[in-house]
């Protein structure tokens, strides 16, 4: 009897682990097992939210519980000191915004360059502690003082709170640069995913503010730059390769897109409109401005393979769903602080280093921004990694992608001589 119980328990655990690791993963993707492990970890946290809190992990309350559950696991993946063991970290309140400031090892009488980092996590997940390893690694690699911004997140805080926090902290750092042995004229900014979005918008705002120096560089790592078109070629490729699985399925991106505008008032009808790509009015999709700034023709033809890609027809009627979303938030959708691709004058912005990944639904956001910046005369370096995926650069004890480190080192080699 005891043997049967043990055997049944063993089979149940084995079956559950197999379920967690199951899912479509393209053969060409780098480090497939580690990718599956990250995907399995996310599934597991969703199950904890379901069972432990009796709530839908895709609801606003569920997102908060998911974040809290993830934070609780940090005890098993303690700090990222191994990525910069001699880097000193100090917690500071920067004009009301919590930040971590990292100083590289060694003493020097001359001023150092600075780098402002804004973390990813769809504006709802992660914090500066999750990114402790990456920011330590950045400080050591650049021999620069790094400020990591802990902006307030959705769903509790909606647009434009993450932007406002990031801009306030950035201005504070520039004005207090000498206090941290930093040359205010040698500061760059970067971020991944949602942090890439905030990097783009804050870079634009800093460029407009003549009371502070312009940034030396903007570094966008697989940036999330728009939520108006959730059917670009990269979204279609991701759906073809992963279906509803992977790290970044469409329904998840629809949820996080909606949370940024609706916060805790996000309901299923709003998410459904985003999922069906019916949240923007047909009239605006037909506008010359929309077609100039979000045209699929901006994506290289080689990345619009007809095996998975179908060009969208011109909308001729208002959709049956989604017009209420547009009517409620159309001014915000068109605000450059929400959609940096919509800034009318992109000239004069700092040089951009833009990284995109082939297996990433938001790949095309970075490509489109690179094309628009180039057209405006901004110096742009764009790199697309054909076997890469969203999140590959992030590091934490237990989750460290070898190929991500290679991408990171290339980034360091680009940034360091330009600071």
């Amino acid at each position: 009897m005891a043997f049967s119980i043990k055997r049944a328990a063993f089979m149940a655990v084995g079956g559950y682990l197999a379920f967690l690791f199951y899912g479509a993963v393209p053969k060409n993707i780098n480090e497939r097992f580690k990718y599956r492990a990250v995907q399995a970890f996310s599934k597991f946290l969703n199950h904890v939210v379901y069972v432990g809190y009796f709530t839908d992990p895709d609801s606003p309350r569920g997102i908060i519980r998911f974040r809290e559950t993830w934070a609780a696991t940090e005890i098993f993946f303690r700090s990222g000191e191994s990525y910069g063991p001699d880097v000193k970290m100090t917690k500071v309140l920067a004009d009301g915004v919590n930040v971590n400031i990292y100083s590289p090892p060694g003493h020097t009488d001359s001023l150092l360059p600075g780098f402002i980092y804004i973390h990813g996590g769809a504006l709802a997940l992660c914090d500066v502690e999750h990114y402790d390893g990456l920011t330590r690694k950045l400080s050591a690699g650049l021999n620069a003082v790094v400020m990591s911004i802990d902006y307030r997140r959705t769903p509790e805080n909606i647009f434009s709170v993450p932007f406002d926090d990031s801009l306030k902290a950035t201005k504070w750092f520039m004005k207090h640069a000498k206090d941290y042995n930093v040359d205010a004229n040698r500061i760059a900014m970067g971020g991944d995913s949602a942090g890439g979005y905030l990097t783009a918008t804050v870079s634009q705002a800093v460029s407009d503010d003549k009371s502070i120096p312009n940034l030396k560089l903007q570094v966008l790592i697989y940036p999330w730059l728009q939520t108006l078109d959730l059917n670009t070629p990269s979204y279609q490729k991701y759906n073809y390769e992963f279906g509803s699985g992977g790290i970044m399925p469409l329904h998840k991106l629809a949820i996080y897109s909606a949370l940024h505008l609706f916060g805790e008032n996000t309901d299923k009808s709003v998410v459904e409109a985003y999922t069906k790509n019916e949240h923007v009015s047909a009239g605006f999709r037909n506008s010359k401005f929309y077609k100039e700034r979000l045209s699929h023709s901006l994506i290289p033809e080689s990345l619009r393979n007809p095996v998975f890609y179908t060009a969208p027809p011109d909308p001729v009627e208002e959709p049956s769903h989604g017009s209420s979303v547009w009517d409620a938030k159309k001014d915000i959708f068109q605000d450059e602080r929400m959609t940096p691709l919509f800034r009318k004058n992109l000239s004069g912005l700092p040089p951009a280093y833009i990284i995109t990944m082939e297996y990433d639904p938001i790949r095309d956001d970075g490509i489109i921004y690179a094309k628009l910046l180039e057209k405006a005369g901004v110096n742009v370096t764009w790199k697309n990694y054909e076997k890469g995926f969203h999140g590959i650069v992030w590091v934490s004890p237990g989750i460290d992608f070898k190929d991500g480190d290679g991408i990171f080192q290339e980034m360091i080699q680009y940034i360091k001589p330009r600071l």
Side-chain angles (χ1 to χ4, degrees):
M1 181 69 176
F3 174 77
S4 298
I5 293 174
K6 287 181 180 179
R7 183 176 180 182
F10 178 80
M11 292 177 66
V13 171
Y16 180 63
L17 289 174
F19 171 76
L20 290 178
F21 276 83
Y22 175 77
V25 177
K27 292 182 179 179
N28 199 39
I29 202 168
N30 275 338
E31 300 183 77
R32 294 179 73 212
F33 180 79
K34 284 188 179 180
Y35 185 94
R36 286 186 184 277
V38 172
Q39 180 178 256
F41 181 65
S42 180
K43 280 185 183 180
F44 172 73
L45 293 185
N46 276 330
H47 295 165
V48 171
V49 172
Y50 262 126
V51 176
Y53 297 101
F54 302 102
T55 190
D56 180 356
D58 290 339
S59 69
R61 179 173 175 265
I63 297 296
I64 295 171
R65 296 306 186 196
F66 183 98
R67 181 206 305 156
E68 292 171 346
T69 304
W70 189 3
T73 67
E74 287 179 8
I75 191 172
F76 302 107
F77 308 103
R78 281 319 294 167
S79 102
E81 288 184 14
S82 60
Y83 297 99
D86 299 319
V87 171
K88 179 184 176 183
M89 188 271 283
T90 307
K91 291 187 175 293
V92 178
L93 197 62
D95 194 15
V97 180
N98 292 314
V99 302
N100 284 2
I101 294 182
Y102 298 85
S103 300
H107 175 77
T108 176
D109 293 327
S110 58
L111 295 178
L112 292 170
F115 196 95
I116 299 166
Y117 196 84
I118 312 181
H119 70 79
L123 299 174
L125 308 174
C126 301
D127 54 26
V128 291
E129 307 310 323
H130 284 99
Y131 276 75
D132 183 63
L134 181 60
T135 41
R136 286 178 185 274
K137 192 176 177 181
L138 196 59
S139 178
L142 292 175
N143 191 37
V145 176
V146 173
M147 179 180 74
S148 182
I149 302 175
D150 202 15
Y151 58 86
R152 287 171 290 171
R153 296 158 297 183
T154 63
E156 304 97 318
N157 304 282
I158 62 173
F159 175 87
S160 59
V161 170
F163 165 82
D164 295 336
D165 284 355
S166 299
L167 180 59
K168 281 202 299 183
T170 296
K171 288 183 175 182
W172 179 91
F173 187 57
M174 288 187 158
K175 291 175 181 178
H176 292 81
K178 283 191 177 179
D179 296 342
Y180 294 93
N181 200 37
V182 171
D183 182 348
N185 293 299
R186 297 171 62 203
I187 296 176
M189 170 178 280
D192 65 296
S193 194
Y197 148 66
L198 292 171
T199 294
T201 53
V202 172
S203 295
Q204 293 177 1
V206 169
S207 180
D208 291 337
D209 190 338
K210 304 309 175 187
S211 70
I212 52 178
N214 204 359
L215 293 161
K216 291 283 288 182
L217 294 169
Q218 53 177 319
V219 179
L220 281 61
I221 306 169
Y222 29 81
W224 183 35
L225 300 174
Q226 60 85 28
T227 59
L228 292 99
D229 185 2
L230 274 60
N231 194 42
T232 61
S234 55
Y235 272 97
Q236 293 188 41
K237 175 180 172 63
Y238 188 93
N239 291 340
Y240 175 80
E241 297 278 7
F242 293 92
S244 61
I247 295 172
M248 299 271 284
L250 174 60
H251 74 279
K252 286 288 187 183
L253 281 165
I255 292 162
Y256 291 118
S257 298
L259 288 176
H260 187 34
L261 294 189
F262 293 90
E264 294 180 285
N265 293 320
T266 301
D267 61 31
K268 290 184 178 180
S269 66
V270 171
V271 174
E272 181 182 12
Y274 276 91
T275 303
K276 293 182 176 180
N277 211 34
E278 295 177 344
H279 56 297
V280 176
S281 75
F284 187 65
R285 288 191 192 278
N286 264 327
S287 69
K288 180 181 178 182
F289 182 72
Y290 179 93
K291 290 180 178 179
E292 285 177 349
R293 298 303 178 100
L294 276 172
S295 172
H296 292 188
S297 65
L298 291 168
I299 308 304
E301 189 174 355
S302 61
L303 301 181
R304 291 181 275 135
N305 190 324
V307 169
F308 61 81
Y309 173 68
T310 302
D314 286 337
V316 293
E317 297 179 359
E318 288 294 333
S320 57
H321 299 282
S323 58
S324 60
V325 175
W326 176 253
D327 290 343
K329 303 292 182 178
K330 61 184 176 183
D331 291 339
I332 297 178
F333 274 122
Q334 297 173 76
D335 191 318
E336 63 188 41
R337 296 171 301 165
M338 174 69 189
T339 310
L341 307 177
F342 283 1
R343 181 180 170 92
K344 291 182 171 59
N345 182 9
L346 291 166
S347 63
L349 295 177
Y353 185 79
I354 300 176
I355 295 171
T356 57
M357 302 292 153
E358 191 62 19
Y359 294 103
D360 185 353
I362 60 173
R363 177 201 65 194
D364 294 346
D365 293 12
I367 297 174
I368 291 171
Y369 198 45
K371 299 291 185 183
L372 295 175
L373 289 173
E374 284 178 343
K375 188 176 180 181
V378 177
N379 186 306
V380 177
T381 299
W382 164 53
K383 293 199 171 187
N384 185 56
Y385 292 89
E386 293 185 354
K387 295 183 179 181
F389 52 85
H390 195 90
I392 194 172
V393 175
W394 182 66
V395 296
S396 175
I399 303 174
D400 192 342
F401 296 99
K402 183 186 301 182
D403 296 308
D405 181 65
I407 294 167
F408 179 88
Q409 295 305 329
E410 284 186 35
M411 183 178 75
I412 293 293
Q413 290 168 19
Y414 175 88
I415 298 170
K416 195 168 185 177
R418 291 169 173 80
L419 283 179

